[in-house]
Amino acid sequence: MKKIAIILLLLAPILFGDYEKDVKLPSITFPMAQDEDFKAIQRNCQWCHSHGYILNQGKQSRKFWRASVIKMRDVYKAPITQKDEKIIVDYLFKHYGNSKEE
Ligand code: HEC
């Protein structure tokens, strides 16, 4: 009998608790441009560091972005394929490029 009482006591929050309450999570808007090519950033960049490393550079030339991506691959050994390298550099220059094409 005691056992049943203890079990009921333990289950009380589940059985009688108010689980219908709305939990309001803060809305987070991800700060990088969301398009199809963003997936390449998610795949290749974000397992090492946050988008902050990228956005904090400000607007840069294509040459700068290409050099950054190559640095990540050559120095930090990020396994970025040639195909993704192009997608990423295009994405970065499109959204975070300055007026210098090269
Ligand atoms: C293998 C881990 C790794 C991956 C993957 C990676 N990075 Fe980095 N990244 C680093 C490290 C380490 C630093 C330097 C951090 C420091 O100096 O404090 C860095 C720094 C940066 C910086 C700051 C400027 C600089 O040159 O130090 C930029 C911009 C950057 N990464 C962009 C990218 C982009 C774009 C990608 C995806 C293509 C990427 N990273 C993927 C490790 C990585």
Coordinates of all heavy atoms in Angstrom, one line a residue, residues 32 40-57 64-65 67-73 75-80 84-85 88-89 92, ligand 1:
M32 N 22.8 35.6 -40.1 CA 23.4 35.6 -41.4 C 22.3 35.4 -42.5 O 21.2 34.8 -42.2 CB 24.4 34.4 -41.5 CG 25.7 34.8 -40.8 SD 27.0 33.6 -41.1 CE 27.7 34.1 -42.7
A40 N 25.8 25.8 -47.1 CA 27.3 25.5 -47.3 C 28.1 26.1 -46.1 O 29.1 25.5 -45.7 CB 27.8 26.0 -48.6
I41 N 27.6 27.2 -45.6 CA 28.2 27.8 -44.4 C 28.0 26.9 -43.2 O 28.9 26.6 -42.4 CB 27.7 29.2 -44.1 CG1 27.9 30.2 -45.3 CG2 28.2 29.8 -42.8 CD1 29.3 30.8 -45.3
Q42 N 26.7 26.5 -43.1 CA 26.4 25.6 -42.0 C 27.2 24.3 -42.0 O 27.7 23.9 -41.0 CB 24.9 25.2 -42.0 CG 24.0 26.3 -41.6 CD 22.5 25.9 -41.6 OE1 22.0 25.5 -42.7 NE2 21.8 26.1 -40.5
R43 N 27.3 23.7 -43.2 CA 28.1 22.5 -43.3 C 29.5 22.7 -43.0 O 30.1 21.8 -42.4 CB 28.0 22.1 -44.8 CG 27.0 21.0 -45.2 CD 27.3 20.4 -46.5 NE 27.6 21.2 -47.7 CZ 26.8 21.8 -48.5 NH1 25.5 21.6 -48.3 NH2 27.2 22.5 -49.5
N44 N 30.1 23.7 -43.5 CA 31.6 23.9 -43.5 C 32.2 24.7 -42.4 O 33.3 24.6 -42.1 CB 32.0 24.4 -44.8 CG 31.9 23.4 -45.9 OD1 32.7 22.5 -46.1 ND2 30.9 23.6 -46.7
C45 N 31.4 25.7 -41.9 CA 32.0 26.7 -41.0 C 31.6 26.6 -39.6 O 32.4 26.8 -38.7 CB 31.7 28.1 -41.5 SG 32.0 28.3 -43.3
Q46 N 30.4 26.2 -39.4 CA 29.8 26.4 -38.0 C 30.1 25.3 -37.0 O 29.8 25.4 -35.9 CB 28.3 26.7 -38.1 CG 28.2 27.9 -39.1 CD 26.9 28.6 -38.9 OE1 25.8 28.0 -38.9 NE2 26.9 29.9 -38.7
W47 N 30.8 24.3 -37.4 CA 31.2 23.3 -36.4 C 32.5 23.7 -35.7 O 32.9 23.1 -34.7 CB 31.3 21.9 -37.0 CG 32.2 21.7 -38.2 CD1 31.9 22.0 -39.5 CD2 33.5 21.2 -38.2 NE1 32.9 21.7 -40.3 CE2 34.0 21.2 -39.5 CE3 34.4 20.8 -37.2 CZ2 35.2 20.8 -39.9 CZ3 35.6 20.4 -37.6 CH2 36.1 20.4 -38.9
C48 N 33.1 24.7 -36.2 CA 34.3 25.2 -35.5 C 34.1 26.5 -34.7 O 34.5 26.7 -33.6 CB 35.5 25.4 -36.4 SG 36.4 24.0 -36.8
H49 N 33.4 27.4 -35.4 CA 33.2 28.7 -34.7 C 31.9 29.3 -35.1 O 31.3 28.9 -36.1 CB 34.3 29.7 -34.9 CG 34.7 29.9 -36.3 ND1 33.9 30.5 -37.2 CD2 35.8 29.5 -37.0 CE1 34.5 30.6 -38.4 NE2 35.7 30.0 -38.3
S50 N 31.5 30.3 -34.4 CA 30.2 30.9 -34.6 C 30.2 31.8 -35.8 O 31.3 32.1 -36.3 CB 29.7 31.7 -33.4 OG 30.2 33.0 -33.4
H51 N 29.1 32.3 -36.3 CA 29.0 33.3 -37.4 C 29.7 34.6 -37.0 O 30.1 35.3 -37.9 CB 27.6 33.5 -37.7 CG 26.8 34.0 -36.5 ND1 26.2 33.1 -35.6 CD2 26.6 35.2 -35.9 CE1 25.7 33.7 -34.6 NE2 25.9 35.0 -34.8
G52 N 30.0 34.8 -35.7 CA 30.6 36.0 -35.3 C 32.0 36.2 -36.0 O 32.3 37.3 -36.4
Y53 N 32.7 35.1 -36.1 CA 34.0 35.2 -36.7 C 33.9 35.8 -38.2 O 34.8 36.4 -38.7 CB 34.7 33.9 -36.8 CG 35.4 33.6 -35.5 CD1 34.7 33.1 -34.4 CD2 36.8 33.7 -35.4 CE1 35.4 32.8 -33.2 CE2 37.5 33.4 -34.2 CZ 36.7 33.0 -33.1 OH 37.4 32.7 -31.9
I54 N 32.8 35.4 -38.8 CA 32.6 35.8 -40.2 C 32.1 37.3 -40.2 O 32.7 38.1 -40.9 CB 31.6 34.9 -40.9 CG1 32.2 33.4 -40.9 CG2 31.4 35.3 -42.3 CD1 31.3 32.3 -41.3
L55 N 31.0 37.5 -39.5 CA 30.3 38.8 -39.6 C 31.2 39.9 -39.0 O 31.2 41.1 -39.5 CB 29.0 38.8 -38.8 CG 27.9 37.9 -39.4 CD1 26.6 38.0 -38.6 CD2 27.7 38.1 -40.8
N56 N 32.1 39.6 -38.1 CA 32.9 40.7 -37.5 C 33.9 41.2 -38.4 O 34.6 42.2 -38.1 CB 33.6 40.1 -36.2 CG 32.7 40.0 -35.1 OD1 31.5 40.5 -35.1 ND2 33.1 39.3 -34.0
Q57 N 34.1 40.6 -39.6 CA 35.1 41.1 -40.5 C 34.6 42.3 -41.3 O 35.3 43.0 -41.9 CB 35.5 40.0 -41.6 CG 35.9 38.7 -41.0 CD 37.0 38.8 -40.0 OE1 38.1 39.4 -40.4 NE2 36.9 38.2 -38.8
F64 N 39.5 38.8 -50.3 CA 39.6 38.6 -48.8 C 38.8 37.4 -48.4 O 39.3 36.5 -47.7 CB 39.0 39.8 -48.1 CG 38.9 39.7 -46.6 CD1 40.0 40.1 -45.8 CD2 37.9 39.0 -46.0 CE1 40.0 39.9 -44.4 CE2 37.8 38.8 -44.6 CZ 38.9 39.3 -43.8
W65 N 37.6 37.2 -48.9 CA 36.8 36.1 -48.5 C 37.4 34.8 -49.0 O 37.4 33.8 -48.3 CB 35.3 36.2 -49.0 CG 34.5 37.3 -48.2 CD1 33.8 38.3 -48.7 CD2 34.4 37.3 -46.8 NE1 33.3 39.0 -47.7 CE2 33.6 38.4 -46.5 CE3 34.8 36.5 -45.7 CZ2 33.2 38.8 -45.2 CZ3 34.5 36.9 -44.4 CH2 33.7 38.0 -44.1
A67 N 40.5 34.2 -49.6 CA 41.7 34.0 -48.8 C 41.3 33.4 -47.4 O 42.0 32.5 -46.9 CB 42.5 35.3 -48.6
S68 N 40.2 33.9 -46.8 CA 39.7 33.4 -45.5 C 39.4 32.0 -45.6 O 39.7 31.2 -44.8 CB 38.5 34.2 -45.0 OG 38.9 35.5 -44.8
V69 N 38.6 31.6 -46.6 CA 38.1 30.3 -46.8 C 39.3 29.3 -47.0 O 39.4 28.2 -46.4 CB 37.1 30.1 -47.9 CG1 36.7 28.7 -48.2 CG2 35.8 31.0 -47.6
I70 N 40.3 29.8 -47.8 CA 41.4 29.0 -48.1 C 42.3 28.8 -46.8 O 42.8 27.7 -46.5 CB 42.3 29.6 -49.3 CG1 41.5 29.4 -50.6 CG2 43.7 28.9 -49.4 CD1 42.1 30.1 -51.8
K71 N 42.3 29.9 -46.0 CA 43.1 29.8 -44.8 C 42.4 28.7 -43.8 O 43.1 27.9 -43.2 CB 43.1 31.1 -44.1 CG 43.7 31.2 -42.7 CD 43.7 32.6 -42.1 CE 44.0 32.6 -40.7 NZ 43.8 34.0 -40.1
M72 N 41.1 28.7 -43.8 CA 40.4 27.8 -42.9 C 40.7 26.3 -43.4 O 40.9 25.4 -42.6 CB 38.9 27.9 -43.0 CG 38.4 29.3 -42.5 SD 38.9 29.6 -40.8 CE 39.7 31.2 -41.0
R73 N 40.9 26.2 -44.7 CA 41.2 24.8 -45.2 C 42.6 24.5 -45.0 O 42.9 23.4 -44.4 CB 40.8 24.8 -46.7 CG 40.8 23.3 -47.2 CD 40.5 23.3 -48.7 NE 41.5 24.0 -49.4 CZ 41.3 24.7 -50.5 NH1 40.1 24.7 -51.1 NH2 42.2 25.4 -51.1
V75 N 45.2 26.1 -43.2 CA 45.8 26.3 -41.9 C 45.1 25.4 -40.8 O 45.7 24.7 -40.0 CB 45.9 27.7 -41.5 CG1 46.5 27.9 -40.1 CG2 46.6 28.6 -42.5
Y76 N 43.7 25.5 -40.8 CA 43.0 24.9 -39.8 C 42.4 23.5 -40.2 O 41.7 22.9 -39.5 CB 41.9 25.8 -39.3 CG 42.4 27.1 -38.7 CD1 41.9 28.3 -39.2 CD2 43.4 27.1 -37.8 CE1 42.4 29.5 -38.7 CE2 43.9 28.3 -37.3 CZ 43.4 29.5 -37.8 OH 43.9 30.7 -37.3
K77 N 42.7 23.1 -41.4 CA 42.4 21.8 -41.9 C 40.9 21.5 -42.0 O 40.4 20.4 -41.8 CB 43.0 20.7 -41.0 CG 44.5 20.8 -40.8 CD 45.3 20.7 -42.1 CE 46.8 21.1 -41.9 NZ 47.4 21.6 -43.1
A78 N 40.1 22.5 -42.3 CA 38.7 22.3 -42.5 C 38.5 21.6 -43.9 O 39.1 22.1 -44.9 CB 38.0 23.7 -42.6
P79 N 37.8 20.5 -43.9 CA 37.7 19.8 -45.2 C 36.7 20.4 -46.1 O 35.6 19.9 -46.3 CB 37.3 18.4 -44.7 CG 36.6 18.6 -43.4 CD 37.1 19.9 -42.8
I80 N 37.1 21.5 -46.7 CA 36.1 22.2 -47.6 C 36.4 21.8 -49.1 O 37.5 21.9 -49.6 CB 36.3 23.8 -47.5 CG1 36.1 24.2 -46.0 CG2 35.4 24.5 -48.4 CD1 36.7 25.5 -45.7
D84 N 32.3 23.5 -52.6 CA 31.8 24.4 -51.5 C 32.6 25.6 -51.4 O 32.0 26.7 -51.0 CB 31.8 23.6 -50.2 CG 30.5 22.7 -50.1 OD1 29.6 22.8 -50.9 OD2 30.5 21.9 -49.1
E85 N 33.9 25.6 -51.7 CA 34.7 26.8 -51.6 C 34.1 27.9 -52.5 O 33.9 29.0 -52.1 CB 36.1 26.5 -52.0 CG 37.0 27.7 -52.0 CD 38.4 27.4 -52.6 OE1 39.0 26.4 -52.4 OE2 38.9 28.3 -53.3
I88 N 30.7 29.1 -51.1 CA 30.9 29.9 -49.9 C 31.5 31.3 -50.2 O 31.0 32.3 -49.7 CB 31.8 29.2 -48.9 CG1 31.1 28.0 -48.3 CG2 32.3 30.1 -47.7 CD1 32.1 27.0 -47.7
V89 N 32.5 31.4 -51.1 CA 33.0 32.7 -51.5 C 32.0 33.5 -52.2 O 31.8 34.7 -51.9 CB 34.3 32.5 -52.4 CG1 34.8 33.8 -52.9 CG2 35.4 31.8 -51.6
L92 N 29.6 34.7 -49.5 CA 30.1 35.7 -48.6 C 30.2 37.1 -49.3 O 29.9 38.1 -48.8 CB 31.5 35.3 -48.0 CG 31.4 34.1 -47.0 CD1 32.8 33.6 -46.7 CD2 30.7 34.6 -45.8
Ligands
HEC1 C1 38.5 23.4 -38.5 C2 38.0 24.5 -37.8 C3 37.5 25.7 -38.6 C4 36.5 25.6 -39.6 C5 35.8 24.5 -40.2 C6 36.4 27.0 -40.1 N1 37.2 27.8 -39.3 FE1 37.2 29.9 -39.5 N2 38.5 29.9 -38.0 C7 39.1 28.8 -37.3 C8 40.1 29.3 -36.3 C9 40.9 28.4 -35.4 C10 40.1 30.7 -36.4 C11 41.0 31.6 -35.7 C12 40.5 31.9 -34.4 C13 41.4 32.9 -33.7 O1 42.4 33.3 -34.2 O2 41.1 33.1 -32.5 C14 39.1 31.1 -37.4 C15 38.9 32.4 -37.8 C16 38.0 32.7 -38.8 C17 37.8 34.1 -39.3 C18 38.4 35.3 -38.6 C19 39.6 35.9 -39.4 C20 40.8 35.0 -39.4 O3 41.3 34.8 -40.5 O4 41.2 34.6 -38.3 C21 37.0 34.0 -40.3 C22 36.5 35.2 -41.2 C23 36.6 32.7 -40.5 N3 37.3 31.9 -39.6 C24 35.8 32.2 -41.5 C25 35.5 30.9 -41.7 C26 34.6 30.4 -42.8 C27 33.9 31.3 -43.8 C28 34.5 29.1 -42.6 C29 33.8 28.1 -43.5 C30 34.2 28.0 -44.9 C31 35.4 28.7 -41.5 N4 35.9 29.8 -41.0 C32 35.5 27.4 -41.1 C33 38.7 27.5 -37.5 C34 37.8 27.1 -38.4

